[in-house]
Amino acid sequence: MRSGNPYVIFVSKAALFLVLMFATDRVAGLVLQRYFLKMNAGTAAATTYALDKANEDLIVFGSSRALHHYVPSILRDSLGMTAYNAGRDGMTMLYSYAVFKSMLKRYTPRAVVLDVYMDFDSYREVNDRMSALSPHYDRHPEIRPIVNLRGPYERIKAFSKLYDYNSLLFTIVANNLVHRTDPNKDGYTPLNSNTPPAWSDFGFPDNKVDSMKTRYFEEFLAETRKANVEVFVVVSPFYGRWKIPLEGLQWAKRYCNENGFFFRDYSQSPYYLSHREWFSDNSHLNDTGARIFTRMLCSDIKEDLAQRYIVSQQATIPGSNAKHTD
Amino acid sequence: MLFNSFQFLIFFPVVTALYFLLPHKWRWLHLLVASCVFYCAFIPVYILILFFTIGIDYVAGIAIENATNPRRKAFLIVSLVANIGVLAVFKYYNFFVGNVDTLLHGFGLAGNALPFLDIILPIGLSFHTFQAMSYTIEVYRGNQKAERHLGIYALYVMFYPQLVAGPIERPQNVLHQFHEKHDFDNYRVAHGLRIMLWGYLMKVVVADRLAIYVNAVYNNAHQHNGTTLALATIFFAFQIYCDFAGYSYIAIGAAEVMGIKLMTNFRRPYFSKSIAEFWSRWHISLSTWFRDYLYIPLGGNRRSVPRRYFNLFFVFLVSGLWHGANWTFVIWGALNGFYLIFAIVTKDLRERVAERLGLLRYPRLFEATQILVTFLLASFAWIFFRASSLEVATTVVSRIFTQPGRLYLGDNPALLFNCFLAIAVLLLIEFRHEYATGAFSFANNRNPYVRYASYVAAVTVLLLLGVFDGGQFIYFQF
């Protein structure tokens, strides 16, 4: 063979390498998937739970501000609905839409709280963060359009099963070696900082509304309407002020008002601004603040429901299960 | 086009396959067109700058060869002025204007004497202008015949693997290779691909992983303590090495696949036992460029001792400025120049101290100490290279020495683990190459099972631990 045509030799060796690589990719990908899905703790496990197992009546969506601001046990006690907090650090509208869309295929929650803030502004480039959903690319076709936003070649890269677990090796190994379970099974992660933040004026250049992000917000709300899910769009408290009002937030408020969706903006509520000690940093409430805020929100939601004559339906809510489609 | 982009994954095999399929007489044209496509993937209009300097240097080369003595020098000067002029306008003009303004303000005079230019630095400008200058200088010195084939000369400047970040080649090494026919050779192609794979591992797995931590810390230097800043600085030392050496390996490997041998650019610099040795292992093509075309013409070490020190210091100042139009780079260069002069001045003293301490009785320990000290000195200088301004650099330096504290772990604790793991594996492999060349080899093993297993393992590591959203190569900005 060595004395043969060098091109043929090279192509055959390259083919052998590709076959070996393909086999390794599939086998190692399956092994990693198995151990990834076995993880019980951490943010990746929380996403897996939201996609594969969550069956609560009420789901909270959003970024770190959702994750640290909404206490499911209070939501459950106040509204009489089981609740799960599916917020995740660093995520925005795109992540919430992908998880919700995927969830709907499996079951329909009765209500969702969607925490928004800087979700619509072009300032933040968030597409890269969608790698958090890559391990679920194969099993949840609904999330693929969102993961593909990472780049023009994402579809091709996704051909590799190893690539789905890029940068997760340590997390998978560590979580499977040391069996941990999350202390917060309802998703909520409290912040326990006791150092109140200083008041700040924030500003960033070139604040424009990103049409792609607003489109997914519109689609999220359209999905809730189609599935008859009650949706509460909320802007949770923020300790500070924007030098220029966030255009995206103003747009979201307008859109919700025009289309009859619940929208409450607590970001500049004097009640919270006068309690610096309830904040962990400018963007996040601490556990005390989160509990107070969740209680206040529940009252507002109840009031809204009453006003919209849905109170009568509330009687059916306690003890009722979410509607499962599978 | 970036080597770590998806486009290049398609570009490289297509260009290489066509290269071998075409008859030899058309290969230069094919490579030249491919190089133009490669360059135009950045800012297409800047290719006109390349055409301008190629035209001037091509004509200058022939004119130098044909002319008699005083005119030869004049043609060389025309070529050098054209190349340095382009660099001056695109790279240093705004720096110059900014400093003039600052100076005028310092004297209480109105600034804005000259307008700023709204231009983006053409990618790899310093690399291809230096390569072009080496051609006319070598023709002038009589070490290289003037190239009569315009296309081949253009290819010498524009050969895509080393067009934007080197190695900065010499005409004697490369030009003749474009005239020669390179047949498809399985062994050579496989070797080239292995070198490329190593380059990719360095860039995507090590450099871009470390960059996540380094950027998070250095971009907010004021918010971090000395411990974190020190670790970020150490990480940056490895980041810049793997970023730049990774690029060089990919370039050298890609060229080797096509039969073109480029010069070695890095030889495990962090195993150097002195700063002088470090500079003989780091960015070799640039160090030797400065040695051949600046240090030696200035008199090198043949002049008086003070003049020799001045020559060294001056060369490193220029080298700093070559890297970027910012005072941070100048200080970085000055610091390295100072290190070298200090090492020469204190050579006898240091030897006596080592003897007194009994270090010479433990040569391995002595060597390890020398390597560590050299690494720390180089890392300290990198602070100025990485910092975005002098203010940030001074903050980093002062905090490292005065504000220890708890280490910043980043968003994800796995990041630090991956960073340490990447550095440990890199050092292990380099240690083996440095000290145990006869040890068991993986990628070069004669046993095909071991060889293929190592290829598969390397690609698996790339897919699992590589950072595919990582940005450009650091040295592109130069």
Side-chain angles (χ1 to χ4, degrees), chain A residues 17-232:
Chain A
F17 167 72
L18 288 175
V19 168
L20 287 172
M21 196 61 239
F22 178 80
T24 307
D25 183 80
R26 299 291 132 163
V27 173
L30 277 175
V31 172
L32 285 167
Q33 185 187 62
R34 180 183 153 82
Y35 285 100
F36 178 83
L37 295 176
K38 276 175 73 179
M39 292 196 307
N40 285 323
T43 51
T47 300
T48 306
Y49 178 85
L51 288 167
D52 294 346
K53 292 177 187 160
N55 61 358
E56 286 78 2
D57 298 320
L58 186 147
I59 305 289
V60 177
F61 287 103
S63 63
S64 57
R65 287 167 48 77
L67 181 65
H68 305 303
H69 289 185
Y70 300 85
V71 188
S73 57
I74 295 175
L75 289 167
R76 184 191 62 218
D77 295 344
S78 298
L79 300 175
M81 294 191 239
T82 54
Y84 180 74
N85 189 328
R88 183 160 172 175
D89 283 333
M91 298 299 158
T92 61
M93 201 56 241
L94 304 180
Y95 174 84
S96 300
Y97 172 79
V99 174
F100 181 54
K101 181 88 176 154
S102 194
M103 207 179 247
L104 279 178
K105 197 182 161 196
R106 191 168 49 81
Y107 95 110
T108 308
R110 293 185 65 83
V112 298
V113 170
L114 177 62
D115 186 278
V116 293
Y117 196 50
M118 289 173 65
D119 293 68
F120 314 105
D121 299 283
S122 56
Y123 172 67
R124 290 177 87 194
E125 188 52 63
V126 293
N127 298 356
D128 275 357
R129 303 258 183 170
M130 292 309 115
S131 60
L133 293 167
S134 290
H136 308 282
Y137 193 92
D138 268 353
R139 298 181 309 112
H140 293 275
E142 301 78 21
I143 66 168
R144 288 177 195 167
I146 300 294
V147 177
N148 289 342
L149 290 172
R150 289 181 73 195
Y153 303 105
E154 206 58 28
R155 277 185 195 84
I156 303 168
K157 287 180 190 170
F159 181 74
S160 162
K161 300 303 156 215
L162 283 170
Y163 177 73
D164 287 348
Y165 301 93
N166 179 268
S167 303
L168 285 169
L169 186 64
F170 172 77
T171 309
I172 294 171
V173 172
N175 272 280
N176 279 280
L177 280 180
V178 183
H179 282 282
R180 292 190 295 140
T181 45
D182 259 332
N184 316 301
K185 284 188 181 298
D186 54 11
Y188 167 66
T189 308
L191 292 175
N192 294 311
S193 167
N194 292 318
T195 316
W199 176 263
S200 292
D201 285 338
F202 293 88
F204 53 77
D206 199 22
N207 175 20
K208 296 272 186 316
V209 178
D210 186 330
S211 59
M212 191 256 290
K213 292 172 191 166
T214 57
R215 183 161 61 82
Y216 280 106
F217 177 69
E218 288 174 15
E219 286 193 22
F220 188 104
L221 296 184
E223 290 292 342
T224 60
R225 196 156 269 177
K226 207 158 68 183
N228 201 23
V229 177
E230 199 67 56
V231 61
F232 307 101

Side-chain angles (χ1 to χ4, degrees), chain B residues 9-124:
Chain B
L9 270 185
I10 298 160
F11 176 88
F12 175 69
V14 169
V15 168
T16 308
L18 280 173
Y19 174 81
F20 285 114
L21 290 173
L22 282 169
H24 173 61
K25 63 177 178 177
W26 296 114
R27 284 182 180 176
W28 68 269
L29 182 61
H30 166 63
L31 281 182
L32 189 58
V33 171
S35 300
C36 290
V37 172
F38 183 86
Y39 191 79
C40 287
F42 299 110
I43 301 176
V45 72
Y46 280 165
I47 203 165
L48 297 175
I49 300 169
L50 270 166
F51 290 161
F52 169 73
T53 52
I54 285 169
I56 296 231
D57 295 329
Y58 171 74
V59 174
I62 295 170
I64 290 167
E65 194 171 72
N66 292 341
T68 48
N69 227 349
R71 294 187 67 201
R72 280 163 56 82
K73 199 163 200 170
F75 287 125
L76 174 67
I77 290 168
V78 168
S79 160
L80 296 181
V81 166
N83 284 293
I84 295 169
V86 166
L87 261 181
V89 171
F90 285 92
K91 189 162 179 173
Y92 300 107
Y93 175 80
N94 283 345
F95 178 61
F96 173 74
V97 172
N99 282 297
V100 167
D101 275 1
T102 310
L103 206 64
L104 288 175
H105 278 298
F107 286 108
L109 299 167
N112 304 323
L114 291 164
F116 281 99
L117 292 179
D118 187 17
I119 47 172
I120 299 168
L121 179 67
I123 211 133

Side-chain angles (χ1 to χ4, degrees), chain B residues 378-456:
Chain B
S379 299
F380 181 76
W382 288 130
I383 292 172
F384 295 89
F385 198 95
R386 176 60 183 82
S388 54
S389 66
L390 277 180
E391 192 234 335
V392 172
T394 46
T395 301
V396 173
V397 172
S398 68
R399 289 195 177 196
I400 284 177
F401 291 107
T402 60
Q403 290 188 21
R406 204 164 149 237
L407 198 62
Y408 166 71
L409 297 176
D411 284 347
N412 181 1
L415 173 63
L416 268 187
F417 176 83
N418 286 333
C419 287
F420 282 120
L421 182 69
I423 291 174
V425 172
L426 172 85
L427 287 177
L428 210 65
I429 292 170
E430 297 225 319
F431 183 87
R432 192 196 142 285
H433 282 287
E434 184 74 20
Y435 296 106
T437 42
F440 184 82
S441 164
F442 289 94
N444 292 311
N445 199 292
R446 291 175 67 86
N447 185 330
Y449 293 107
V450 177
R451 222 167 45 236
Y452 277 79
S454 64
Y455 299 160
V456 169

Side-chain angles (χ1 to χ4, degrees), chain A residues 6 10 13 24 150 166-167 170, chain B residues 186 209 414 417 463-464 466 469:
Chain A
F10 179 79
K13 283 182 172 179
T24 307
R150 289 181 73 195
N166 179 268
S167 303
F170 172 77
Chain B
N186 255 313
R209 179 70 53 192
F417 176 83
L463 289 167
L464 267 181
D469 311 310

